[in-house]
Amino acid sequence: MDLKEFEADNSVSCRLASSVPDICKTEACCLGIDEAGRGPVLGPMVYGICFCPVSKKDDLKELKLADSKTLTEAQREELFIKLDEAKSFVGWALQVLSPNTISTSMLQRSKYNLNAISHDAAIGLVQFALDSGVHLKEVFVDTVGPAEKYQDKLSQRFPGVEVTVRPKADSLFPIVSAASICAKVARDHAVKGWNFPEQMGDVDADYGSGYPNDPKTKAWMLKYLDQVFGYPQFVRFSWSTAQTLLDSKAVAVHWDDDEEDGEKAAARQNNTSMLSFFKAGSKTSGPQGNTHQPHRFFTERRLQSLDTL
Amino acid sequence: MSSNCSVTTLQLDSIGQTEPATVHLLPCEIEHDGPAEVSRFFTATIKDRKHEKTVSFRGRGLKGQEVSCPQGYTGLVLSEVNKPGSDQEDRTVKVSSVFHNLTYWNLETPPNSDDGIVMAMAWPDLAEAIHGPLDD
């Protein structure tokens, strides 16, 4: 699998796709959707779709695909090659969501959670298949979380397409297994060959599975923690594992949209909290005091006269 | 300040020995005062395309732009020569580096001419217009 396009800039999201078999443009097709790398604190999450004509479902069965999680890495590679060899009737597409995309989306001012990110990635891929001329009839989706709601959402979004959302779909429908294999192979390659844009020198590649509970992953995260910057972009900052480590080992960083106690924040910024006006013996001068209030022109621009450094 | 009677001396002769610094202004408060691996983690990951600079810090997306110091002005980075034991003692600061422009970063919002730092750079011109001697 060629990930060059993603590797050229692994800070953003990237779409990779096979060519669309001609037969998929004329015959009614089924399409499977699955994801890889949802849980890990390291590396990208990959969404995958795979499609083939409904009439070719049996040919797909002959490839003996299975849920990617029950396969070894070598078996997945082998099956991906088989899928590639079946390109006369099987097509695939992937959305590689970089860890940096995941962090910045989830930590955005207006929160964009992982479920919404996942749904949008899946919808984007189905739309991509339609735009590429795939004659879609059936869509099968593996899901975590409530299947019914998701099924309604997808059915509404793609009228005329029969949508089936099912937990464990990757072990029930070969086309979903195929999608899960594509996604997992891409995720494996991306993690293994991660090109750190940070000047990290020789990075210890022994980061384990990337799952927060993997001791190797934990050890790696401790080793590469920087007290100011936190982590390289390979780490999902929005994961509680990363946040907890930063809270205890890195210096504190405060943003203006932090949900922080108002009085505490004011104290930290050396401002006067509203409440202090009501304290007994407060020295704060009121409107009658002779403290000079700078004009709004200066406060808006954060300009101050300095008489001491 | 009335409580502070100490004198602060600025050693300007140290300017000649300094390298120009690359300065970044971040939209957050970092509880750290000291060296940081800026080039390793930050500069190396800045993306500069379509006239828009982007980077992330601690997992948050930033958008940035370069601003120049007002004409005739130089930015100074000062450092304390000896940290005084109390605020009554005299202090000496030296110029550790100079800069003529800096990159300021907004949290997610694209930089625009209403940003405080951009508007602040207009003050010297305005001050000159208000306080400067009349030409005629």
Side-chain angles (χ1 to χ4, degrees), chain A residues 9 11-12 100 103-104 107-109 111 197-200 224 226-233 237 246 250-258 268-269 297-298 300-301 303 307-309, chain B residues 1 4 8 10 26-32 35-42 44-45 47 49 55-62 78 91 93 107-109 116-117 119-120 122-123 126:
Chain A
D9 182 357
S11 72
V12 293
N100 186 53
S103 304
T104 53
L107 299 175
Q108 214 169 280
R109 265 181 211 275
K111 298 283 172 279
E198 297 83 5
Q199 293 161 358
M200 306 277 291
Y224 285 100
D226 179 89
Q227 58 158 344
V228 175
F229 294 94
Y231 288 112
Q233 292 178 346
F237 283 79
L246 290 178
V251 300
V253 170
H254 308 277
W255 302 87
D256 64 7
D257 64 344
D258 280 349
R268 188 172 49 72
Q269 288 158 13
F297 178 90
F298 298 103
E300 278 175 0
R301 288 160 181 76
L303 290 169
D307 48 20
T308 179
L309 281 176
Chain B
M1 293 266 170
N4 187 353
T8 303
L10 175 58
L26 298 195
C28 56
E29 189 195 332
I30 305 167
E31 287 189 18
H32 177 72
E37 301 279 1
V38 179
S39 52
R40 173 177 297 176
F41 283 95
F42 194 77
T45 55
K47 293 273 146 49
R49 62 171 94 77
V55 76
S56 60
F57 178 67
R58 294 274 184 115
R60 305 213 62 181
L62 309 181
L78 305 176
R91 300 163 70 191
V93 290
L107 178 59
E108 293 158 17
T109 343
I117 182 88
M119 295 199 300
W123 169 239
L126 189 58

Side-chain angles (χ1 to χ4, degrees), chain A residues 66-257:
Chain A
D67 171 13
S68 70
K69 287 181 218 75
T70 66
L71 302 167
T72 65
E73 198 175 328
Q75 286 172 317
R76 287 194 295 263
E77 292 288 336
E78 219 171 282
L79 286 170
F80 179 71
I81 292 169
K82 276 196 193 169
L83 279 171
D84 195 44
E85 282 164 3
K87 61 177 159 227
S88 64
F89 66 95
V90 178
W92 53 266
L94 300 167
Q95 191 71 37
V96 187
L97 300 155
S98 73
N100 186 53
T101 304
I102 297 171
S103 304
T104 53
S105 301
M106 290 175 72
L107 299 175
Q108 214 169 280
R109 265 181 211 275
S110 49
K111 298 283 172 279
Y112 183 26
N113 69 38
L114 198 64
N115 269 341
I117 297 171
S118 305
H119 289 185
D120 289 347
I123 288 169
L125 282 169
V126 174
Q127 189 59 53
F128 170 76
L130 287 170
D131 293 344
S132 311
V134 178
H135 183 28
L136 266 191
K137 185 166 170 269
E138 307 166 346
V139 168
F140 298 91
V141 191
D142 192 20
T143 186
V144 282
E148 232 168 87
K149 251 184 154 176
Y150 192 18
Q151 181 162 321
D152 288 347
K153 186 175 174 180
L154 288 172
S155 303
Q156 266 181 13
R157 181 68 176 69
F158 301 107
V161 179
E162 218 174 281
V163 180
T164 310
V165 178
R166 201 65 76 70
K168 305 219 172 10
D170 49 354
S171 54
L172 297 172
F173 310 105
I175 197 67
V176 181
S177 311
S180 92
I181 287 162
C182 295
K184 189 80 171 97
V185 167
R187 151 97 192 157
D188 287 344
H189 283 218
V191 169
K192 224 186 228 172
W194 190 261
N195 171 26
F196 286 84
E198 297 83 5
Q199 293 161 358
M200 306 277 291
D202 272 334
V203 183
D204 178 3
D206 197 15
Y207 23 66
S209 62
Y211 278 93
N213 56 5
D214 185 333
K216 277 189 175 173
T217 302
K218 208 123 191 233
W220 190 90
M221 289 184 71
L222 277 170
K223 183 173 173 186
Y224 285 100
L225 189 143
D226 179 89
Q227 58 158 344
V228 175
F229 294 94
Y231 288 112
Q233 292 178 346
F234 184 50
V235 174
R236 301 180 190 172
F237 283 79
S238 45
W239 255 235
S240 63
T241 321
Q243 294 286 358
T244 311
L245 280 170
L246 290 178
D247 285 345
S248 62
K249 311 260 184 224
V251 300
V253 170
H254 308 277
W255 302 87
D256 64 7
D257 64 344

Side-chain angles (χ1 to χ4, degrees), chain B residues 13-82:
Chain B
D13 52 350
S14 48
I15 281 190
Q17 302 141 31
T18 60
E19 294 283 305
T22 313
V23 175
H24 295 278
L25 181 64
L26 298 195
C28 56
E29 189 195 332
I30 305 167
E31 287 189 18
H32 177 72
D33 188 3
E37 301 279 1
V38 179
S39 52
R40 173 177 297 176
F41 283 95
F42 194 77
T43 324
T45 55
I46 294 176
K47 293 273 146 49
D48 196 349
R49 62 171 94 77
K50 289 180 222 142
H51 309 294
E52 188 180 68
K53 287 178 197 283
T54 55
V55 76
S56 60
F57 178 67
R58 294 274 184 115
R60 305 213 62 181
L62 309 181
K63 292 195 167 127
Q65 180 175 283
E66 217 164 89
V67 282
S68 299
C69 295
Q71 192 141 39
Y73 283 71
T74 300
L76 302 179
V77 180
L78 305 176
S79 59
E80 196 115 46
V81 177
N82 299 303

